[in-house]
Amino acid sequence: MVSLFVTGTNTGVGKTVFSYLLAKALKKQGIKVGYWKPVETGAEPIPPDATLLSELLNQTLEETVTYTFRLPLAPAVAEKYEGERIKIETLWEIYQRKVKNYEFLIVEGAGGLAVPIKGTYTYGDLAKELKIPTIVVADAKLGTINCSYLTAHYGRSKNLVLLGFVFNNFTGKDISEKDNPQVVEEMTHLKVWFKIPYLEDWRNYELSEEEVKSFLKGLNFK
């Protein structure tokens, strides 16, 4: 069994896009894949990320997301306004149960590694405690070098197993898009595994079968 933690350099960079596309590719290969979002904010009235993945994988929403909050804030801040209820120990317990049910489990964070889930306990802390290999989703445009480097630096400060990057939203209009992946690889010594174009309906996009196989091999999966 393999699990993967999907984080981002910021909010809105495409963590759910990649999680969806990877889950779809694994499902197509006949792999029993699960998805779990420990906390989703901005769920008014429904959690959009968890709903999308639950429909793809035929999971119930209860299986797919554990805590939801209406306000689009960091989890630790959202519960300050909506009532404290996140229990880190519960997340640990749920994860241990889930890894027994799937061949491949995708765990998606909110925002980036330094986003607090409760108090000062971050997603980086959660990935470290659960010992989940981590991949970072970054935006292809100008500014991603700094965000990507700082995310890798923070991840290493937590002793995370960093697998590399996914670059999302290639439009072909930003001159920096051409060189950003190579520069980030050189600066972080981490591989950019996937490059995903900007699409209005990205749900119809499919990750390269060869890239997926190469990535799974890097994870020592099958």
Side-chain angles (χ1 to χ4, degrees), residues 72-119:
L73 300 168
V77 181
E79 76 163 5
K80 183 173 71 173
Y81 287 99
E82 297 184 35
E84 185 176 345
R85 61 181 189 271
I86 296 174
K87 295 181 179 179
I88 301 300
E89 295 81 1
T90 297
L91 297 181
W92 294 343
E93 291 167 5
I94 289 172
Y95 173 77
Q96 297 303 334
R97 289 201 301 270
K98 285 184 177 296
V99 293
K100 298 173 183 177
N101 295 331
Y102 301 101
E103 293 178 87
F104 196 110
L105 178 65
I106 299 169
V107 181
E108 184 186 334
L113 286 175
V115 168
I117 301 173
K118 188 176 187 71

Side-chain angles (χ1 to χ4, degrees), residues 172-183:
K173 297 177 181 178
D174 188 327
I175 193 172
S176 70
E177 290 177 0
K178 177 177 176 292
D179 296 297
N180 279 343
Q182 180 182 347
V183 174

Side-chain angles (χ1 to χ4, degrees), residues 143-160:
T144 202
I145 292 173
N146 182 67
C147 295
S148 298
Y149 179 82
L150 290 177
T151 299
H153 183 74
Y154 178 74
R156 284 176 169 139
S157 77
K158 293 287 184 182
N159 295 315
L160 301 186

